[in-house]
């Protein structure tokens, strides 16, 4: 089944040209001219991934992402202007999975879309027996934490915690070896495997979001520890 990509941008030329390029690669596209028009559809009938401009009328991309993240872990790629580093940092800190600066290569965008969909596939289980010969990742049980990579499902003390693909991969990297310190670079490699550069602040922002989400399930959550100057580790205690 073809992956469905939602395109959200107030520039009709970008919507049309990117949609044509994606359809030529076998994707199905849905087009929205602003965040307000897109939000309800993204929640009620989620695509596989959304590509979203930041600067739009009525509801900009950051506000769209904020509202989306209240209810959904849908993978999101942001389109930004080259001089909007603050917007890029804010978008990633709020839960975007990637960003691309305008003007951009459609080939690069398609490569990034495929990369994130591959990452998402690592955490999804297909129909029974339909794994294309690939081994299904085993569940991870660490104290009160339970992670099922095949179903992209996380619980803490039996309470479900909804994570984005990037957050899931960072937590998985930490939980695979409890007690072992992972540097920011190691966590970058786990979460951004396809030539995407992010700085230390981005990993720190994702860790803050992870802690905030788990503390909503358990106000006493302290399992992700900071080792200043070294990185982070997961503690089962």
């Amino acid at each position: 089944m073809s992956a469905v990509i939602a395109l959200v941008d107030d520039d009709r030329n970008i919507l049309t040209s990117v949609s044509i390029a994606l359809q030529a690669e076998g994707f199905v596209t849905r087009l929205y001219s602003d965040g307000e028009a897109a939000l309800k559809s993204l929640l009620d009938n989620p695509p596989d991934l959304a590509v979203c401009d930041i600067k739009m009328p009525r509801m900009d991309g950051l506000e769209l992402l904020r509202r989306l993240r209240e209810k959904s872990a849908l993978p999101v790629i942001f389109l930004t202007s080259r001089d909007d580093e603050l917007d890029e940092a804010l978008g990633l800190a709020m839960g975007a999975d990637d960003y691309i600066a305008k003007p951009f290569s459609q080939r690069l965008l398609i490569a990034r879309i495929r990369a994130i969909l591959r990452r998402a596939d690592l955490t999804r289980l297909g129909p029974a027996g339909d794994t294309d010969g690939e081994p299904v990742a085993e569940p991870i049980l660490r104290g009160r934490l339970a992670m099922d990579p095949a179903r992209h499902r996380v619980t803490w003390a039996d309470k479900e915690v909804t994570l984005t693909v990037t957050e899931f991969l960072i937590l998985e990297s930490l939980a695979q070896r409890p007690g072992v310190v992972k540097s920011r670079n190691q966590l970058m490699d786990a979460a951004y495997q396809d030539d995407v550069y992010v700085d230390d602040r981005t990993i720190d922002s994702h860790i803050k979001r992870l802690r905030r989400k788990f503390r909503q399930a358990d106000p006493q959550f302290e399992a992700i520890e900071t080792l200043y100057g070294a990185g982070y580790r997961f503690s089962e205690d």
Side-chain angles (χ1 to χ4, degrees):
M1 183 180 294
S2 298
V4 177
I5 310 299
L7 303 175
V8 189
D9 200 308
D10 62 323
D11 188 325
R12 283 288 178 183
N13 291 328
I14 289 179
L15 283 180
T16 301
S17 62
V18 173
S19 179
I20 291 171
L22 289 174
Q23 289 175 17
E25 294 291 322
F27 294 105
V28 174
T29 59
R30 300 179 192 158
L31 310 185
Y32 306 93
S33 59
D34 63 73
E36 190 172 308
L39 180 60
K40 187 175 188 302
S41 178
L42 294 181
L43 291 173
D44 292 347
N45 187 21
D48 293 287
L49 181 146
V51 178
C52 182
D53 189 24
I54 287 184
K55 297 188 181 302
M56 295 183 293
R58 299 178 68 193
M59 182 189 295
D60 67 18
L62 292 173
E63 178 63 12
L64 171 62
L65 180 65
R66 185 188 70 79
R67 297 194 188 186
L68 191 62
R69 284 291 175 258
E70 292 175 352
K71 300 179 180 179
S72 170
L74 174 73
V76 173
I77 296 176
F78 265 146
L79 301 179
T80 73
S81 300
R82 287 198 180 279
D83 57 352
D84 287 339
E85 294 183 5
L86 179 60
D87 284 347
E88 294 169 3
L90 279 173
L92 289 169
M94 291 169 64
D97 291 276
D98 200 352
Y99 66 87
I100 294 178
K102 294 180 177 180
F104 59 90
S105 156
Q106 290 186 357
R107 182 178 300 177
L108 172 63
L109 175 60
I110 291 169
R112 294 286 180 85
I113 288 172
R114 292 193 185 282
I116 291 179
L117 291 177
R118 284 197 299 272
R119 287 160 51 194
D121 282 343
L122 294 176
T123 66
R124 281 203 293 254
L125 179 67
D130 183 18
T131 59
D132 295 327
E134 295 294 328
V136 175
E138 293 293 325
I140 298 171
L141 303 176
R142 301 285 185 263
R144 286 170 284 178
L145 175 71
M147 300 186 71
D148 186 347
R151 293 175 175 82
H152 190 78
R153 187 169 185 266
V154 179
T155 60
W156 179 264
D158 295 325
K159 295 180 181 178
E160 190 143 2
V161 181
T162 301
L163 303 182
T164 68
V165 172
T166 304
E167 291 163 355
F168 191 100
L169 291 172
I170 289 173
L171 179 62
E172 183 181 40
S173 178
L174 290 169
Q176 282 173 338
R177 300 187 66 190
V180 174
V181 179
K182 294 289 185 76
S183 69
R184 290 173 176 82
N185 284 337
Q186 288 174 311
L187 295 177
M188 289 178 198
D189 289 342
Y192 296 91
Q193 300 171 352
D194 293 88
D195 246 0
V196 178
Y197 173 77
V198 296
D199 62 22
D200 289 356
R201 293 178 305 166
T202 301
I203 295 299
D204 293 342
S205 294
H206 285 306
I207 293 290
K208 288 178 183 177
R209 284 180 57 81
L210 278 167
R211 285 173 173 154
R212 184 161 64 246
K213 287 183 176 183
F214 277 95
R215 283 171 184 161
Q216 289 173 351
D218 176 6
Q220 305 304 314
F221 177 84
E222 297 290 347
I224 299 176
E225 300 176 345
T226 301
L227 282 299
Y228 291 99
Y232 298 95
R233 71 183 173 197
F234 183 87
S235 172
E236 289 186 85
D237 298 334

